[in-house]
Amino acid sequence: MNQVILIIPAFNEEKNIKTVVDNLIRNYPDLDYVVVNDGSTDSTERILRDGGYNHITLPVNLGLAGCFQTGMKYAWEKGYSCAVQFDGDGQHRADCIRELIAPIVRGEAAMTVGSRFLPEAGEQDRGFQSSAARRMGIRWISGLIRLTTGRTLNDVHSGF
């Protein structure tokens, strides 16, 4: 497999983006990344520019789908064979990337989806907890996916 690239959508992430990208650079230098600044109105662009981070800035906010499409086009043009969506707000853990893409690397899957809700090894709870309304929506969508595909997804709104 060729290189893996992390596509990091960022909309008004001035509080988090430096920490997220610096962690990747320091602890995972073998992983390439591109931050897609989705028309942020805060100082996200300045932070990306001043930090010398690899980024693309969209002139207007296109939303997550448009932002990720931009990153995928970049990945395709640069010849990457695996792209990982990795949120710019710090909710995803870089140490889980290798496990996330392992089935792809082994040729067992074309796509994988991480889950924020699975507990860490040795933990008793269910990991990340979102609002009750969001959990209800996730359960409803998960049920539809299970009904139509026969597959169970724990976190259909993961973004990872």
Side-chain angles (χ1 to χ4, degrees):
M1 181 169 81
N2 292 338
Q3 292 181 310
V4 174
I5 187 165
L6 304 181
I7 299 170
I8 306 172
F11 177 68
N12 292 342
E13 289 295 347
E14 67 184 4
K15 293 179 180 162
N16 302 305
I17 198 64
K18 181 175 178 17
T19 302
V20 169
V21 179
D22 283 349
N23 175 54
L24 292 171
I25 292 169
R26 183 176 48 257
N27 297 311
Y28 306 93
D30 58 317
L31 295 174
D32 289 345
Y33 71 91
V34 62
V35 177
V36 183
N37 178 18
D38 194 17
S40 295
T41 56
D42 65 359
S43 60
T44 299
E45 171 64 22
R46 180 188 53 75
I47 292 166
L48 294 170
R49 191 177 51 250
D50 291 353
Y53 301 129
N54 185 32
H55 73 285
I56 300 167
T57 294
L58 301 175
V60 295
N61 179 265
L62 297 180
L64 185 58
C67 192
F68 192 61
Q69 285 176 346
T70 300
M72 290 297 282
K73 183 176 180 184
Y74 176 90
W76 176 262
E77 289 173 352
K78 299 293 184 183
Y80 290 93
S81 58
C82 185
V84 176
Q85 181 175 327
F86 192 83
D87 284 352
D89 62 5
Q91 72 173 302
H92 297 142
R93 292 183 32 210
D95 63 323
C96 295
I97 293 169
R98 296 284 177 227
E99 184 179 0
L100 178 71
I101 65 172
I104 297 168
V105 172
R106 292 190 303 262
E108 299 169 359
M111 181 184 122
T112 57
V113 179
S115 176
R116 299 163 293 176
F117 302 122
L118 298 176
E120 295 295 316
E123 287 184 0
Q124 299 299 319
D125 64 17
R126 294 270 306 150
F128 174 82
Q129 292 296 312
S130 61
S131 69
R134 182 168 279 189
R135 285 193 308 269
M136 221 165 62
I138 289 169
R139 275 192 227 112
W140 184 75
I141 294 169
S142 293
L144 289 176
I145 289 171
R146 188 172 38 259
L147 197 75
T148 57
T149 69
R151 300 205 181 244
T152 300
L153 297 179
N154 293 307
D155 190 357
V156 297
H157 196 262
S158 145
F160 185 44

